[in-house]
Amino acid sequence: MNALEIIKERYNNSASANDSSKPDIAFIGLGNMGAPMAENLLKAGYKLSVFDLSEAATQRLHQAGARVADSPKDATNNAQVVITMLPAGKHVHSVYLNDDGLLSGLPKGTLVIDSSTIAAADARMVADVANTYGIEFLDAPVSGGTGAAIAGNLTFIVGGSTEAYARAEPILESMGKNIFHAGNNGAGQVAKICNNMLLGILMAGTAEAINLGVKNGLDPKVLSDIMLQSSGRNWTLEVYNPYPKVMNNVPSSNGYKGGFMTKLMNKDLNLAMQTASETKVDIPMGSKAAELYDVHSVQHGDKDFSSIIARHDASIL
Ligand code: NAD
């Protein structure tokens, strides 16, 4: 048995000896991702108190059976676990660390799981403050978009202690299919942006290659099939071809609607740039992808990120 298995067994035994019921959860941030994640927790039998600045967002969860709180603090009354799914680092900072932030008021032993995508340095800072209050903090960003959030098959990439991870795993399993323990606090965020930086590079590169072929007379489907069986094969060619009508049921065949928005890819590439600069790591390919997505997101931020192919041929959009 490895350390994680031993801790899990100890935790499960003490949970069934004392109280086999599930912990009460406070869920803050009920947007495109948070709302379906919270709904899946309700379906799995967790008792939820929820808070969001948007009333429409809280109404959806009220109808699904959650208690709607008046404030983040109110949501955390009686909660043993707090989950946040917020837009960016500044929102996470304000919910946890501001004067009326949550960390100073939570009971010792509370488990805090932040699934927002934020800079690793920000996640480590919140974790450090949490630890001084005796609170366990995990950064647990997700891979997979709104479809995966609704279907409950997100990938969670978790940074934090083995003990906190063992407590969180059954909860995360109600919202996701693959749960990874990447390492200590911040490691979840680092792994997530490494993956998304690679995805941005692959998408921009695949779009560039298909465009080169098309401009030289090739059929995009024929070229895609050739590369799919050759050494250029990659995830974008397998399941997410950026050229219209090469593949069914992908954003490129649906006007680049749905999917993973360009502005979110742009955000993640900027987080990769920030992390690389703070740690003095050279990322020339990531920097180029960030530059391309920066420009593309000015006009097409709400379109799926595969629309980057339109920088070669605007008539595609
Ligand atoms: P979103 O903008 O749809 O939702 C964020 C929610 O947080 C909103 O409902 C907003 O009202 C609420 N909020 C903001 N500040 C708040 C505060 N102080 N207190 C309470 N609520 C507050 O964002 P999203 O698409 O759900 O994404 C959430 C996070 O997940 C982001 O960090 C994003 O990068 C990441 N992510 C998104 C996707 C995706 O496909 N949408 C995929 C993977 C990861």
Side-chain angles (χ1 to χ4, degrees), residues 24-275:
D24 288 0
I25 298 178
F27 202 114
I28 298 164
L30 306 164
N32 293 322
M33 297 293 287
M37 288 164 69
E39 283 170 348
N40 282 330
L41 287 172
L42 286 169
K43 280 183 207 147
Y46 287 96
K47 217 164 111 197
L48 243 62
S49 289
V50 298
F51 178 74
D52 193 291
L53 297 174
S54 144
E55 208 179 312
T58 53
Q59 271 316 307
R60 173 174 168 178
L61 264 293
H62 174 66
Q63 276 159 18
R67 179 181 85 87
V68 175
D70 293 335
S71 65
K73 267 217 163 83
D74 178 29
T76 60
N77 283 336
N78 304 320
Q80 291 90 54
V81 176
V82 179
I83 302 178
T84 40
M85 191 56 170
L86 297 163
K90 65 179 178 193
H91 308 92
V92 174
H93 192 285
S94 107
V95 165
Y96 287 115
L97 300 178
N98 271 6
D99 290 346
D100 58 348
L102 288 179
L103 287 184
S104 57
L106 291 174
K108 266 190 181 175
T110 305
L111 172 63
V112 168
I113 304 171
D114 178 43
S115 282
S116 327
T117 301
I118 65 173
D122 289 341
R124 284 190 206 104
M125 185 174 67
V126 183
D128 284 349
V129 178
N131 290 337
T132 63
Y133 288 112
I135 292 161
E136 295 191 283
F137 178 87
L138 292 172
D139 44 295
V142 300
S143 180
T146 48
I150 293 165
N153 58 21
L154 289 165
T155 294
F156 283 88
I157 311 169
V158 184
S161 73
T162 307
E163 288 80 359
Y165 178 80
R167 274 180 79 184
E169 204 180 28
I171 299 169
L172 301 181
E173 278 167 352
S174 301
M175 302 179 280
K177 193 171 68 168
N178 297 304
I179 324 290
F180 291 104
H181 188 198
N184 292 331
N185 282 128
Q189 298 292 354
V190 173
K192 153 104 196 195
I193 52 121
C194 287
N195 178 71
N196 279 24
M197 181 180 81
L198 180 57
L199 176 60
I201 294 167
L202 286 173
M203 184 56 86
T206 301
E208 195 169 298
I210 295 177
N211 178 63
L212 178 64
V214 169
K215 294 278 163 63
N216 281 275
L218 267 71
D219 180 295
K221 168 94 173 80
V222 171
L223 174 59
S224 295
D225 286 346
I226 292 168
M227 294 195 292
L228 203 44
Q229 299 307 325
S230 307
S231 45
R233 180 184 188 122
N234 69 73
W235 182 87
T236 69
L237 286 169
E238 282 166 0
V239 298
Y240 217 95
N241 196 296
Y243 203 92
K245 312 286 179 221
V246 168
M247 211 171 243
N248 292 326
N249 302 321
V250 290
S252 58
S253 294
N254 182 33
Y256 298 96
K257 291 199 271 294
F260 183 51
M261 282 187 278
T262 291
K263 65 185 174 195
L264 289 175
M265 173 52 86
N266 190 36
K267 170 193 166 186
D268 292 354
L269 287 167
N270 282 319
L271 288 174
M273 297 276 286
Q274 182 185 338
T275 301

